[in-house]
């Protein structure tokens, strides 16, 4: 990686939800701040700002990542997805989002974007998780409202629907 000046802004360019975006970021700027404040993508939430709560999770090259622990310059050249990119077409929820709606898997919704992004990545790699798998995976996310039961139910339901769709 080229040497970066601490004071200067550096150009970055990456794919975000299927579109190329570009901007400038100071080397210490967090990806979560770049998404929210430079690009106006406020669907990514910021809670603890030190990697504990999971609210800021985004998809970087198919892997869930804490955007509060990622520098904006590290996104350069990568492929990112945020919660704004989940819907398959405008106004239509993804299978996972629809399962969250059906199971009432959110209350205040603060944790929801991060959980959705993590589960979206997870279900792409794990077609048949059981409840223990989902609970272990969700250990990286804090939700103060739901008690997790409806979130787990939604994840299992979404996994089943995705399996059915892949065999249709
Ligand atoms: S805001 Fe990033 S993990 Fe909490
Ligand atoms: S729905 Fe409120 S923190 Fe999870």
């Amino acid at each position: 990686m080229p040497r970066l000046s601490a004071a200067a802004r550096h150009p970055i360019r990456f794919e975000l939800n299927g579109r190329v975006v570009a901007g400038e970021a100071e080397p210490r700027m967090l990806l979560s701040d770049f998404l929210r404040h430079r690009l106006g993508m406020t669907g990514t939430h910021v809670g603890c700002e030190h990697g504990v709560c999971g609210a800021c999770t985004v998809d970087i090259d198919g892997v869930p990542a804490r955007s509060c622990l990622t520098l904006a310059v590290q996104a350069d050249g990568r492929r990112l997805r945020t919660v704004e990119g989940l819907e398959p077409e405008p106004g239509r929820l993804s299978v996972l989002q629809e399962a969250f709606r059906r199971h009432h898997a959110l209350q205040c919704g603060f944790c929801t974007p991060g959980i959705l992004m993590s589960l979206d990545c997870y279900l792409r790699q794990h077609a048949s998780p059981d409840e223990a798998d989902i609970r272990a995976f969700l250990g990286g996310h804090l939700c103060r409202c739901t008690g997790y039961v409806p979130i787990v139910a939604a994840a299992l339901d979404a996994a089943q629907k995705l399996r059915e769709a892949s065999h249709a």
Side-chain angles (χ1 to χ4, degrees):
M1 193 170 179
R3 193 176 168 82
L4 300 178
S5 156
R9 286 186 175 189
H10 296 269
I12 57 174
R13 183 182 179 86
F14 55 89
E15 185 182 310
L16 178 61
N17 300 328
R19 291 187 180 173
V20 174
V21 296
E24 294 186 332
E26 299 82 3
R28 67 183 177 198
M29 185 174 209
L30 300 174
L31 177 59
S32 50
D33 289 336
F34 187 83
L35 291 169
R36 290 177 55 84
H37 303 310
R38 294 273 160 83
L39 300 181
M41 303 292 279
T42 53
T44 299
H45 291 168
V46 174
C48 66
E49 289 193 275
H50 60 273
V52 175
C53 74
C56 67
T57 302
V58 300
D59 170 346
I60 302 180
D61 290 337
V63 178
R66 305 289 209 231
S67 61
C68 76
L69 296 183
T70 306
L71 297 171
V73 292
Q74 292 177 294
D76 190 43
R78 315 289 288 274
R79 183 175 47 81
L80 273 67
R81 292 170 72 231
T82 61
V83 70
E84 290 93 341
L86 277 187
E87 57 181 12
E89 58 190 58
R92 199 173 124 225
L93 297 177
S94 72
V95 169
L96 181 60
Q97 289 172 306
E98 181 59 34
F100 265 59
R101 188 195 64 76
R102 206 166 36 251
H103 289 272
H104 308 288
L106 62 149
Q107 290 179 31
C108 79
F110 196 83
C111 68
T112 311
I115 291 179
L116 286 172
M117 296 317 295
S118 275
L119 283 174
D120 185 81
C121 291
Y122 183 79
L123 294 178
R124 287 170 191 269
Q125 303 294 326
H126 303 86
S128 304
D130 61 20
E131 180 175 341
D133 295 331
I134 296 290
R135 285 190 176 277
F137 183 70
L138 288 175
H141 288 272
L142 298 181
C143 175
R144 295 167 53 145
C145 305
T146 64
Y148 299 92
V149 171
I151 296 176
V152 173
L156 292 170
D157 187 10
Q160 182 181 342
K161 296 269 185 311
L162 290 166
R163 283 196 302 276
E164 289 168 2
S166 73
H167 293 133

